[in-house]
Amino acid sequence: MSSLDEHGLIARHFRPLATAAGAHRLLDDAASYAPPRDLDLVLTKDGIAEGVHFPAGEAADLVARKALRVNLSDLAAKGARPVGYLVLLGLPDDWSEAWIAGFAAGLAADQHEYAVELYGGDTIRSGRLVISITAFGTVPPGGMVRRSGAQPGDRLYVSGTIGDGALGLRAATGDPHLHGLVGEADRIFLADRYRLPRPRMALAEAVRRFASAALDVSDGLAGDLDKLCTASGVTAEVAADRVPLSAAAAACVAADRSMLDLCLTGGDDYEILAAVPSRSAPDFESAAMAAGVPVSCIGDVRAGAGPARFVDVAGQELRLVSRSFSHVRTDDPLR
Amino acid sequence: MSSLDEHGLIARHFRPLATAAGAHRLLDDAASYAPPRDLDLVLTKDGIAEGVHFPAGEAADLVARKALRVNLSDLAAKGARPVGYLVLLGLPDDWSEAWIAGFAAGLAADQHEYAVELYGGDTIRSGRLVISITAFGTVPPGGMVRRSGAQPGDRLYVSGTIGDGALGLRAATGDPHLHGLVGEADRIFLADRYRLPRPRMALAEAVRRFASAALDVSDGLAGDLDKLCTASGVTAEVAADRVPLSAAAAACVAADRSMLDLCLTGGDDYEILAAVPSRSAPDFESAAMAAGVPVSCIGDVRAGAGPARFVDVAGQELRLVSRSFSHVRTDDPLR
C-alpha cells in the first residue's frame, strides 16, 4: 500500500507515457484525437488475466508489454498503423506501487519500440490482476484487411515461426516432458517467446497492400486458419513441413513428433497469417523482406468448405487432435 | 457452463448488438470506423468490478448498463455525441450462459436508449467479474470540453440531483441507519439511482456550446469540483442549500443533517458539473430546458486556489469530513 492516492499514482507513473496532446496529460475524463483526414480508424480490445493468460507472479513489465502487444498484433494483422491505446489496470488487493512502477516501465519501453502513446485509462481494484487494453490505429479508407477476402488460388503466408508460444508456455511452467526433450537454452528461448510476443508491426503495410485476408495467429495456426477460411467461404491446404519452426521448436519436434501437433494448434504465436493472391506474391515477399520480416509460404487457399487440411511430405493428412488451444481446459470455451 | 464455445456465445448474444458496419458482425479481429470529416474523436475508458463498484450478485443487465453508462457519462460531460463502444467481459469461474444473456440484454436496452453500437470486445475468464468499456464519440475540432477552462466569475451548474448515488449505495446494502431515516419508497428510489446511473447525454450539446469547463460527478461533488478548480487554476464557492436534492435525499437530510455531508462528497451521481461564463448562462439554461435536463446554479468560480468552499445560508463554511468517496476504504487510493 502506498501513501499516494490514485491521482498521485497516475501522475507519477502514467503521465510520462501520455505524450500525445489529446491525452491531456491524463488530467481529464477523456482523451481527444483528431483523425488524419481520409483515414479509417481500426480499433481492437483484448484483455489478459493472471493465471489464465500469464502465470501468477509474472514480472510487471512483462505483463504490461504482453497486454499491449497482443493488441498491437491485431492492428498489424489488419494492416493498420498503430496510434495509441487506453488501459484498464485491475489490481489485486495486495498491489504495490513498485509493481505499478514496473508495469508503467514495461509500457514505456514498448511505446518507444512501437511508436504508440497512452491516451487514457482507469486503475481499479479487481481482486485479481486483469489488464484490458483498447488500441487504435489508422488505415486508408476501407483499407482494413479483413478475414473474409481470401480467394481460391491465394497463397498462404505466415510470418516468423509457429509453435514457440505453445511450447514456451510449457517451458515457462516447467513442464517435465518438454524438459526431457530439449536443453536449457532452447527452453529459455521458448519461454521468452511465450512471455513476450513480437507483434509484426513492420509487416502491416505489406499486408495492407497485398493480402486478400489476414489475422494474427493467437489461438493456434489450424484454428485461426479455419476462421479465415470460414469468413472467406473457402478451405485451404497447408504443407505441414513448410510451416516455419524455430531451431528450438524443431528440436522439440525432432525429439517427439507429437510436438508438431502442439505447434500447429497451440496459441500465443502472434505471427501474421495472410492470404495473398498469387500475382501479388512476389511483391508481398519483396515488401516483407524490405520490412525485415521473414515470411513463409505454407500452402494455398482452395475452393470448398470445412477445416483446412494439413498434409505431410507424402501427401497424407495429419490428424490434429484439436484445432486450437485453450489456456485453461478444453471444456471451457473462454480464454 | 455451456456447450457453446466462445465463438458461439458471441454469435448468439453479442452479434445482434454489433449493428455498425465497422463492427464486421464481430467476425474479425478488429473494428473499423470512418470518422466524419472534421470531427474529433473523444475516447474514454472506465472499468467496474464486482464487490467494488457494484454489489456481488447484482443483476447481469444492471451490471452491463452501469458499465456502459459510466462511460457515456464521461462523453456527455465532455460535450461529445456518443458513437460506439468496445467491451471486455471478464467472467468468474462459475459464469453461466444465462448471465451472459442478461448482460447482453442490458447492453441492448441501453444501445436503444443512447443510440450507441457495439464495435467489438473480448470475453475472458478473470476469476472475478470485471467489465471494462471503451466508449467513443465525436465533437467538432477542438470542441472537447475540458476540466481546465473555468474562469473567475463563471457560474457553476449541476444537472439533476446530487447525493442519490451515495445514499443509494447505503439503501442497496441495507444500511440500518438509512433504514431508520426514510421509508421504503425513498430507499427503493435511492437504491435504483445507485444501481442505474442516468448519463446526461441530452445535455452534451449545451455543455459543448456554452460551458468553459465540465466533468461528470462520479467521485463526489466536492472532490470533483476541486479537480475542476485545480485544472483551471481557480477556486469556487458553492451555496450548499442550492445543491439540488431529490425528495428522497432531502428527506434523509431532514432526518439527519449529517447526510448532507454524504450527499456533497459521496460518489456515483453521474450528473454533470459545468462552469458557464455568466454571459452564456441564460443560453445554457435555455438549451438545458430545451433538452429536458434540469440544471441548477449552485455557486460560482472565484480567483484563487485551494478547495472549493461550501457555505450554508448564514454564510458559514461547512466542514466536510472528506472531499470524495471511496468505495472500498478510505486508506485505499484505488476504486
Side-chain angles (χ1 to χ4, degrees):
Chain A
M1 196 61 57
S2 157
S3 61
L4 283 175
D5 62 4
E6 182 180 357
H7 184 82
L9 286 171
I10 289 170
R12 180 177 293 175
H13 299 293
F14 293 107
R15 186 162 301 153
L17 307 177
T19 40
H24 307 302
R25 301 180 66 233
L26 305 182
L27 285 171
D28 218 303
D29 308 275
S32 54
Y33 173 67
R37 190 171 275 209
D38 292 329
L39 291 182
D40 282 359
L41 284 182
V42 177
L43 302 117
T44 188
K45 183 177 184 69
D46 268 343
I48 62 175
E50 183 172 60
V52 181
H53 306 87
F54 58 91
E58 183 63 292
D61 64 313
L62 289 181
V63 172
R65 299 172 88 183
K66 181 160 195 168
L68 180 56
R69 288 174 178 215
V70 301
N71 282 282
L72 295 178
S73 180
D74 277 330
L75 294 183
K78 303 290 102 181
R81 189 184 68 81
V83 173
Y85 66 101
L86 300 94
V87 58
L88 174 98
L89 174 57
L91 287 165
D93 294 345
D94 61 347
W95 65 274
S96 70
E97 189 181 346
W99 197 95
I100 292 176
F103 184 85
L107 293 178
D110 275 5
Q111 289 200 182
H112 183 73
E113 182 153 354
Y114 297 109
V116 290
E117 295 174 291
L118 177 66
Y119 272 75
D122 194 12
T123 306
I124 65 170
R125 293 204 323 143
S126 57
R128 191 191 291 195
L129 186 58
V130 179
I131 297 96
S132 169
I133 285 185
T134 300
F136 62 102
T138 57
V139 289
M144 186 179 107
V145 180
R146 305 281 308 281
R147 292 182 180 175
S148 56
Q151 298 285 336
D154 289 355
R155 296 192 193 170
L156 288 172
Y157 285 88
V158 292
S159 62
T161 56
I162 296 295
D164 299 330
L167 293 167
L169 171 58
R170 298 194 173 197
T173 54
D175 178 71
H177 181 67
L178 189 83
H179 197 278
L181 297 180
V182 292
E184 187 178 8
D186 284 339
R187 296 198 305 274
I188 289 173
F189 169 84
L190 293 168
D192 175 70
R193 286 274 289 163
Y194 166 72
R195 284 196 169 119
L196 194 57
R198 270 70 169 184
R200 295 296 190 176
M201 312 319 290
L203 195 61
E205 176 74 5
V207 168
R208 188 187 65 70
R209 290 177 63 200
F210 301 113
S212 57
L215 44 59
D216 75 326
V217 183
S218 55
D219 295 341
L221 177 62
D224 286 333
L225 175 54
D226 289 346
K227 290 177 197 163
L228 186 149
C229 287
T230 300
S232 297
V234 295
T235 186
E237 186 164 306
V238 172
D241 65 300
R242 291 166 67 186
V243 174
L245 301 181
S246 67
C252 290
V253 172
D256 175 0
R257 181 75 187 171
S258 77
M259 291 291 111
L260 180 61
D261 191 290
L262 183 65
C263 289
L264 299 177
T265 63
D268 289 302
D269 291 303
Y270 300 105
E271 297 291 353
I272 293 178
L273 170 66
V276 178
S278 57
R279 68 179 179 282
S280 301
D283 289 337
F284 176 74
E285 292 186 14
S286 296
M289 186 175 295
V293 179
V295 295
S296 304
C297 182
I298 60 169
D300 50 41
V301 177
R302 305 266 169 111
R309 284 162 44 91
F310 283 70
V311 296
D312 65 17
V313 285
Q316 292 294 309
E317 182 170 359
L318 274 64
R319 281 185 290 188
L320 301 172
V321 176
S322 71
R323 306 294 290 187
S324 62
F325 180 74
S326 166
H327 283 269
V328 188
R329 52 179 197 270
T330 52
D331 66 336
D332 190 329
L334 302 177
R335 47 172 290 180
Chain B
M1 197 60 57
S2 159
S3 61
L4 283 175
D5 63 3
E6 183 179 358
H7 184 81
L9 286 171
I10 290 170
R12 180 177 293 175
H13 300 293
F14 293 106
R15 186 162 303 152
L17 307 176
T19 40
H24 306 303
R25 302 181 64 234
L26 305 183
L27 286 171
D28 219 303
D29 308 275
S32 55
Y33 174 66
R37 192 171 273 209
D38 292 330
L39 290 182
D40 282 0
L41 283 182
V42 177
L43 302 118
T44 186
K45 183 177 183 69
D46 267 345
I48 62 175
E50 183 172 61
V52 181
H53 306 87
F54 58 91
E58 183 63 291
D61 65 311
L62 289 180
V63 172
R65 299 171 88 183
K66 182 159 194 167
L68 180 55
R69 288 174 178 215
V70 300
N71 281 282
L72 294 179
S73 181
D74 277 328
L75 293 184
K78 302 290 101 181
R81 188 184 69 80
V83 173
Y85 66 102
L86 300 95
V87 58
L88 173 101
L89 174 56
L91 288 164
D93 294 344
D94 61 347
W95 65 274
S96 71
E97 189 181 345
W99 197 94
I100 292 176
F103 184 85
L107 293 178
D110 276 3
Q111 289 200 182
H112 183 74
E113 182 153 353
Y114 296 109
V116 291
E117 295 173 290
L118 177 65
Y119 272 74
D122 193 14
T123 307
I124 65 170
R125 293 202 324 142
S126 57
R128 191 191 290 196
L129 187 58
V130 178
I131 297 95
S132 169
I133 285 185
T134 300
F136 62 100
T138 55
V139 289
M144 186 180 109
V145 180
R146 303 283 310 279
R147 293 181 179 175
S148 55
Q151 298 284 336
D154 289 354
R155 295 191 194 171
L156 288 171
Y157 286 87
V158 291
S159 61
T161 57
I162 296 294
D164 299 329
L167 293 167
L169 171 59
R170 298 194 171 197
T173 53
D175 178 72
H177 181 68
L178 190 82
H179 197 280
L181 296 181
V182 291
E184 188 179 7
D186 283 339
R187 296 198 306 274
I188 289 173
F189 169 85
L190 293 168
D192 176 71
R193 285 273 290 164
Y194 166 72
R195 284 197 169 117
L196 194 57
R198 271 71 169 181
R200 295 296 190 175
M201 312 319 290
L203 195 62
E205 175 73 6
V207 168
R208 187 186 64 72
R209 290 177 62 200
F210 302 114
S212 57
L215 45 60
D216 76 326
V217 182
S218 54
D219 294 341
L221 177 63
D224 286 332
L225 175 54
D226 289 346
K227 291 176 196 165
L228 186 148
C229 287
T230 301
S232 297
V234 297
T235 185
E237 185 162 307
V238 172
D241 65 302
R242 290 166 67 187
V243 174
L245 301 181
S246 66
C252 290
V253 171
D256 175 1
R257 181 74 187 170
S258 77
M259 290 292 111
L260 180 61
D261 191 289
L262 183 63
C263 290
L264 298 177
T265 61
D268 288 303
D269 291 303
Y270 300 105
E271 299 289 354
I272 294 178
L273 170 66
V276 178
S278 58
R279 68 179 179 282
S280 301
D283 290 335
F284 176 75
E285 292 186 12
S286 297
M289 186 173 295
V293 179
V295 296
S296 305
C297 182
I298 60 169
D300 50 42
V301 177
R302 307 265 170 110
R309 283 163 43 92
F310 283 71
V311 297
D312 65 17
V313 286
Q316 293 294 309
E317 182 170 0
L318 275 63
R319 280 184 290 186
L320 301 173
V321 177
S322 70
R323 307 293 291 186
S324 62
F325 180 73
S326 166
H327 284 267
V328 189
R329 53 178 197 270
T330 51
D331 65 337
D332 190 330
L334 301 178
R335 45 170 292 178

